[in-house]
Amino acid sequence: MFKRIKNFSELVMFEHTVFSAAFSLMAIVISLYEKSLDQWDFWENFKLFLWCIVALIGARNFAMAFNRFCDRDIDFKNSRTKSRPSVDGRVGVVAQIVFCLINAFLFVMASYFINTLAFFLSFVFLVILAGYSYVKRFSVLAHYVLGVCLGLAPISGAIAMLGMVPIWSIALSLGVMFWVAGFDLLYSLQDLEFDKKEGLFSFPAKFGEKKTLVVSRISHILAVAFWLLFVLLCKGGFFAFVGLAISAIMLVYEQYIVFKDFRNIPKAFFVTNGYLGFVFLGFMILDVLARMYYA
């Protein structure tokens, strides 16, 4: 049983949930702060938070498993990905389909218990998450579609807690979209030659290394710009700006180490990006606590 769980965890790279989780939690924290005191009900908000976690896990597991299922033929040919559980037989085709269906159901069910808007949008979100798996076959915009998929997380957190889409959550989500697209462009440099050979529409395969690096940098600049707009719209204070500044420095570092040596791509992707979201989240929590203390 432990081995099967480990295989499914590797299938969806469960540890990478941190990429979207931090910004979803950030939206939840800001939403809770914006609720007036007469709307505060600890147990009700705690239940909403738990359903948010279930929805987040369900949506991400569905998206990753569906992507692995659709990419089996491609991953089999790529030396970097041919050892994935979806390819080497550790997780069979039927098991992958059942896993996708279970997690899609978990996402919709959790959304139903959150609120009506979340429930109806859950079906739209599933279509978007599933659609990403096919975009790379016909468009270089796949990197930005992936960004949209992860960018849905903060909007979802705000919808769950407020039952609406505040403008600051849109700015936060746009920042996430450009952040994700920026580092996915860098990550895809590893498969440049393979993508060319297979006729896949990745940006590096179409435009080459130099242009990919430039577009990735522009994407990260836009990410910081939208996060700045987010901080301003949610009336962030000192700690919010410190968190933003540190996040910007981390993106500069990421760009630098990849430019210096493409062998640093895994380090930039898995380490720097993994820390960035939670560093930003930590400072936003400090900022909210400070505002509550001085209110």
Side-chain angles (χ1 to χ4, degrees):
M1 179 61 70
F2 178 77
K3 187 176 181 181
R4 286 181 65 85
I5 293 173
K6 184 175 181 295
N7 288 336
F8 277 105
S9 177
E10 185 179 338
L11 174 74
V12 299
M13 302 175 78
F14 188 76
E15 65 274 16
H16 297 165
T17 305
V18 297
F19 292 151
S20 54
F23 289 93
S24 181
L25 291 172
M26 196 182 301
I28 289 172
V29 168
I30 301 300
S31 297
L32 287 173
Y33 174 73
E34 289 195 347
K35 279 189 173 183
S36 58
L37 291 177
D38 60 345
Q39 290 180 300
W40 256 94
D41 183 323
F42 177 81
W43 290 113
E44 186 63 29
N45 286 323
F46 183 68
K47 285 190 293 183
L48 278 176
F49 175 75
L50 292 181
W51 281 123
C52 284
I53 298 300
V54 173
L56 176 67
I57 292 173
R60 192 189 176 281
N61 282 350
F62 166 79
M64 286 295 296
F66 189 78
N67 181 254
R68 294 289 186 260
F69 174 76
C70 294
D71 283 358
R72 298 186 325 280
D73 57 331
I74 298 173
D75 290 343
F76 178 77
K77 301 174 185 178
N78 190 336
S79 59
R80 188 178 64 82
T81 58
K82 64 182 181 181
S83 61
R84 286 174 173 172
S86 54
V87 179
D88 63 13
R90 282 179 289 157
V91 180
V93 172
V94 174
Q96 291 176 57
I97 294 172
V98 172
F99 187 75
C100 286
L101 292 174
I102 289 173
N103 280 282
F105 173 76
L106 280 176
F107 176 56
V108 173
M109 180 190 69
S111 300
Y112 174 80
F113 284 107
I114 289 172
N115 58 51
T116 304
L117 180 60
F119 174 66
F120 285 115
L121 286 178
S122 66
F123 298 99
V124 178
F125 284 9
L126 283 176
V127 171
I128 295 172
L129 294 173
Y132 160 71
S133 299
Y134 296 101
V135 178
K136 71 183 76 173
R137 289 166 169 80
F138 62 84
S139 174
V140 295
L141 294 177
H143 311 284
Y144 290 91
V145 176
L146 177 62
V148 169
C149 291
L150 271 73
L152 293 174
I155 287 179
S156 300
I159 289 173
M161 291 298 166
L162 299 174
M164 57 179 288
V165 182
I167 189 169
W168 58 257
S169 71
I170 297 175
L172 179 59
S173 292
L174 286 170
V176 172
M177 183 193 78
F178 283 110
W179 168 56
V180 171
F183 71 65
D184 192 58
L185 284 163
L186 297 178
Y187 191 71
S188 62
L189 285 167
Q190 298 175 107
D191 296 326
L192 189 154
E193 295 302 325
F194 175 81
D195 290 347
K196 279 185 179 179
K197 180 181 176 182
E198 294 298 317
L200 296 174
F201 286 77
S202 71
F203 194 94
K206 182 73 173 178
F207 297 106
E209 296 175 359
K210 290 183 179 179
K211 289 183 179 179
T212 299
L213 289 171
V214 171
V215 173
S216 175
R217 290 167 192 163
I218 293 171
S219 297
H220 280 167
I221 290 170
L222 289 171
V224 174
F226 277 110
W227 284 339
L228 173 60
L229 180 61
F230 154 69
V231 171
L232 294 172
L233 288 171
C234 72
K235 298 179 174 61
F238 172 76
F239 288 111
F241 284 102
V242 171
L244 174 62
I246 294 175
S247 298
I249 291 170
M250 292 176 77
L251 289 180
V252 171
Y253 172 72
E254 176 179 321
Q255 291 288 338
Y256 170 73
I257 63 173
V258 171
F259 174 75
K260 188 176 180 181
D261 192 334
F262 284 179
R263 287 176 295 181
N264 290 326
I265 289 174
K267 180 181 179 181
F269 185 80
F270 298 121
V271 179
T272 307
N273 288 308
Y275 286 130
L276 185 150
F278 279 97
V279 167
F280 200 176
L281 170 64
F283 277 97
M284 288 305 300
I285 291 174
L286 285 174
D287 193 74
V288 167
L289 292 174
R291 282 191 274 172
M292 291 174 67
Y293 179 79
Y294 289 108

